[in-house]
Each structure stands twice: as C-alpha cells, then as structure tokens.
Amino acid sequence: MSKPAILTVDDDPMVSAAISRDLRRRYGDDYFVVKATSGDQALAVLTKLALRNQPIALIATDQRMPGMTGIELLERARDQAPTAKYLLLTAYADTDVAIKAINDIGLDYYLLKPWDPPEDQLFPVVDDLLGDWRQANPEHTSDVRVIGNRWSDRAHDIKTFLARNHVPYRWYDVERDAEGQRLRELASASDVDLPLVLVPEGDALRSPSTVDLASALGLRTRAEQPLYDVCIVGGGPAGLAAAVYAASEGLSTVIVEREAPGGQAGMSAAIENYLGFPRGLTGSDLAARAVAQASRFGAEMVLARSVVGLESRGPVHAVLLEGSGEIEARSLIVSTGVSYRTLDVEGLADLTGRGVYYGATASEASQCQGEEVYVVGAANSAGQAALNLARYAKRVVLLVRGDTLVTSMSRYLVDKISAARNIEVRCRTQVVGCRGDGHLEALTLRTFEQSEEVPASWLFVFAGASPRTEWLGDSVVRDERGFIVTGPDLVLSGVWPLARPPFALETSLPGVFAAGDVRLDSMKRVASAVGEGAMSVYLVHRYLATF
C-alpha cells in the first residue's frame, strides 16, 4: 500500500511552509506530506494522487483563501478523497462557520490559528485524526481471512468478534467467491471445518472457538497476576471507565470481557449525545479509545472468557472462568451490562445467526446492500441501527410494539428516522412467526390482530434488556428480573450483613460493587455508565481502606 498522504492548503507562503514543516517533522516517516497554496491547486494535487491510487489520510486547509474558501475546498474534495479526515485552520471570528461545517460537510475538527507550540496545539489533534483514519482504513496485506457460508451462525460470531476487537479481516463466501473456494481447496477444508480462519502467522484455524481465535491473534486470554486490587467483570463503558480510573490511581486492575470491549454501546454506529463529541462518535471508536487509555495506565484485559461463578474466600473474591481458571481480587466491580431479550417466536431460535441477529455491529450493515431489512425495537439502539442499515439497504422497516417512537427514543434520532426516505416505521406491530430453510426467508407480522407474511432475509432485534447476573449466585441480591440491588436499597430490604452502611454502589456482598446497566434503577445511558464506573473506583478505595 502506498504511503498515505497529508495535504496542507494555505495561500500564505510562510504559513504554508510552517505547517508543512511541522507535519513533516512529526509524521514524515509514515506519511507523504504535500502542500498547496490555493484551492484549485489542492484539487489538482488530489486528482493526481487519486490516479496513483495513493490514499489521502488528512486534508488540513486554511478557511480564508481567495477564490475558494477552505470549506468550499473540502466539500469538493470528497470525490477525490472520500475517506480523508478534514481539519480546518481558522480564526476565532470564523468559529460559527466551522461549527456549521461539522454538519454540512462532515468537518472532523477545526483549529484556531496560530497553533504554536505544535506539540501542545497541533499534534494531539492530528494524532487523533490519523489514528481514526488508520482504524477505518487498515492496510490489507496482513488481514485475517475468513472463509465460510453467508448464513453460518458460527461465521457470523467470528466476524462479529473480529470486528468488535478491531481486527481487520476479509470475508470470502464459499458459495459466491472464487477466491474463497480456492482457499478452501488449498486448506483441504470440509464442511465441518468451516468457517476457516487464516491468520498471517500460524496454521489455519478450522471452526475455531473465540478463545482459540483470540489466542492465535495474540490477544490476552489469561490473567498474569495471582491477586489484584480490583477485578472488573464486563468491558462496557462502565467497566472501561472503572479500569481507567483504577489503574491510573495505582490499583492493580484486570478486566474480564467475554466478547469485546464496548458492550452494547460498542456496537452502536453513532453515539451523538456524548459530552465533548459534537459530531458524535461510533461505539467502536469510544471503546478503542478507552481500551488504549486503560492499557496505557497498566490495566490488564482478559478477552474471550466468560465468568461462570463467584466465590468469597475471606477478604478475597474469586471469579471462576468458563472451562478452567480463576482470578482473585480484593474487590470486584460487576459491569456486565445487559443483553437484548430473545423474541418468543416459534422457529426464531433455529434461525438465530442465520438471518436473525440480536444487536448488530456497524460493520454488518454493508452485508445488507440493496436488500430489505427488518429491525425490532423502539429505543436509541434500534434507531441508531436503523439509520446505519439504511445507508446500504434498499429499505429498512422499524417494527415498534407501542404507539409511537417519541416516548422511548431520543428526539434527534426520531427526527433523523422521519427524514430518511428508505426507513418505514410500523407502530403497534410485532413479529409473531418466521420460517426459512437454513436461513430466514419470511416473517409473520401482526398489527391490530391482523397477520401478514412478508419475505425477509434480515431481522435485527433490539428489544428489551436482560442483565447478565446468573453467575453471581445467591450471595448477591437481585430483583426479579436479575438487576443487582445496591446501596441504600439493601438496607431497606434488610439484607445488608455489616454494621456500617453499604457504600452507594456496593452489593449485598461487601467489597463487590455494581456499575452501569446491570444495576437496578440505573439510567441505561453511556454517560451515566461511565460516571458510575468512575464512582465505583472511589468506593473501592473507601472499602479497601477499611482493612
């Protein structure tokens, strides 16, 4: 792959030379830095680079230029550099114009001039933009390759695991792709060997478990220390926030995550109401940033391992891992979040992973290119998924059991869905039946006690929330739905065992805390989960100080 390019544009020769010099000094080893002194010259450079098939990572342009403003240039540049990040260099008087450009042309960031010193003002911004670009545009020479059947539930699980753990991969359908058939023959793989996973180093993996796949990719699947200050079960926003604060404050910290960092939020195509991100960000991006931050402070992350039990051993708590192994810690934070509830529809369970999916990663939308897609749900997660799927699908039908979306979904999402031409919202509608031979082929929908069958190959379910707490046993009090009871509610129910009152997020088992969606009466929002994760570490400190 050619070295990606960074294009700078400024009509002032001195400023143009300065920013090119600063960027070349910092990024010249990995990027080709080229400069232009006008909008027209910049477009000519972009055309030349596009003909060479050289990727454009970043365009940094001044706003006030004669003949063509920076925003006008960026708007026209999208044809030649569709994946590039946009950085606008502007004066304070133009900030309103820059903010408007965030929505109008997809501006990624605006930076006030001057940017001295660049180590403080320029490089941190460009680091983030280039990091995001690299994540979205990885080099394919070392990609993992997955060969399997389009409607294989196991292949779907593997692709989801790779996507959510930010592992680039290429997918080959053995029934459609000649290259997939060739690779299967080279590996002498039978039907029972599929999906076949080819990693850059090592032997071919034949229908691997997620633990085997994680190990082959070099992801950590075992804890390194015999005892930790805090063990965090669940790597969603609450768990990742707890890991960042715990590790940064010197606590030995380990996170156990059975799937991938980010939880349900990590599957979101767009989180637009999170503080500090006016353009919004994907759940995948939020998770990746949080993982990097936690790792920087020394937190360990154990992936692809399910926790199946909890034991108290005096002042130590032990979480038992599926298969074998355990992790001991002096305190425990439960942040396992919630799962989407399964639909009680005859035949649906047999088609799960074969056209029926609970939740959806942002990357799955492209597989629905030109097809009709059905989405069940009325909360924000369903709305975000519908909008993402609508970018590729011919038509998206959002099935809502209630009378309206307004009471259960954020207003900004309702407005976007209403404006989307290829999204249809059907209220007071439920899925009551399905059929298919090997994969989903039709759904039966009921509205006003009238039923109709519609052809369908894709159904994504975002209905309800079910906490993952069965592994806690009887020592941790939960309500009838499985949500963990914490803090003052324990005193009211008369199940708190100590003379001191429980800490705010403490469970009925002293030293075990709950944060995020898994906790009874939590807000079920990303920001509140992050807040509870941070707060739980403060309470862990108070608990550990009692010894």
Side-chain angles (χ1 to χ4, degrees), residues 182-488:
R182 186 184 74 84
L183 292 172
R184 176 183 178 175
E185 292 173 0
L186 285 175
S188 300
S190 64
D191 288 343
V192 297
D193 294 327
L194 299 180
L196 186 70
V197 182
L198 306 180
V199 295
E201 297 180 4
D203 297 331
L205 304 176
R206 300 169 189 270
S207 190
S209 67
T210 50
V211 174
D212 291 338
L213 178 57
S215 298
L217 295 170
L219 302 177
R220 182 176 293 157
T221 59
R222 297 178 182 275
E224 293 189 350
Q225 300 182 35
L227 179 67
Y228 295 85
D229 291 322
V230 58
C231 174
I232 302 163
V233 182
L240 291 172
V244 168
Y245 281 92
S248 68
E249 293 171 10
L251 297 177
S252 56
T253 305
V254 63
I255 316 173
V256 186
E257 169 54 49
R258 70 171 189 171
E259 294 176 352
Q264 278 193 9
M267 301 171 69
S268 175
I271 303 172
E272 299 188 59
N273 56 357
Y274 192 67
L275 182 66
F277 292 86
R279 282 198 68 220
L281 75 168
T282 67
S284 175
D285 188 20
L286 177 63
R289 291 169 184 263
V291 168
Q293 198 171 13
S295 299
R296 173 187 162 217
F297 289 122
E300 292 181 29
M301 179 162 290
V302 175
L303 290 172
R305 301 299 300 273
S306 294
V307 174
V308 295
L310 170 64
E311 291 182 0
S312 292
R313 301 168 181 173
V316 171
H317 302 288
V319 293
L320 311 181
L321 304 180
E322 186 177 25
S324 63
E326 62 184 30
I327 299 174
E328 290 189 335
R330 296 196 293 154
S331 63
L332 177 66
I333 298 173
V334 181
S335 55
T336 46
V338 294
S339 301
Y340 295 112
R341 285 203 297 265
T342 58
L343 295 183
D344 186 16
V345 174
E346 184 177 356
L348 205 65
D350 295 333
L351 298 174
T352 300
R354 302 171 184 270
V356 177
Y357 307 100
Y358 290 89
T361 63
S363 61
E364 287 175 319
S366 60
Q367 299 181 42
C368 305
Q369 184 79 45
E371 301 190 35
E372 291 196 353
V373 176
Y374 287 81
V375 177
V376 174
N380 282 7
S381 54
Q384 290 160 348
L387 288 166
N388 188 49
L389 290 163
R391 296 167 55 204
Y392 301 91
K394 178 175 67 176
R395 177 168 167 259
V396 176
V397 182
L398 185 58
L399 304 176
V400 179
R401 186 170 58 178
D403 295 334
T404 179
L405 285 175
V406 175
T407 57
S408 57
M409 188 178 293
S410 295
R411 186 72 213 188
Y412 76 92
L413 286 173
V414 175
D415 291 342
K416 284 189 173 184
I417 288 171
S418 299
R421 295 182 178 180
N422 62 334
I423 299 181
E424 175 188 350
V425 179
R426 297 186 59 172
C427 295
R428 298 184 292 275
T429 304
Q430 299 182 61
V431 177
V432 296
C434 65
R435 64 175 177 83
D437 183 10
H439 65 88
L440 179 66
E441 295 177 312
L443 295 172
T444 302
L445 308 180
R446 178 177 294 165
T447 306
F448 292 120
E449 303 304 322
Q450 295 181 346
S451 299
E452 64 168 322
E453 185 176 85
V454 296
S457 297
W458 302 92
L459 175 67
F460 296 94
V461 181
F462 297 82
S466 180
R468 303 170 180 172
T469 56
E470 63 282 349
W471 59 276
L472 289 168
D474 297 333
S475 58
V476 175
V477 173
R478 307 183 293 283
D479 75 349
E480 64 279 1
R481 295 178 298 166
F483 289 97
I484 299 175
V485 181
T486 58

Side-chain angles (χ1 to χ4, degrees), residues 26 111 115-125:
R26 173 82 170 203
L111 188 65
W115 57 83
D116 287 326
E119 287 78 8
D120 295 334
Q121 304 298 326
L122 177 64
F123 295 157
V125 172

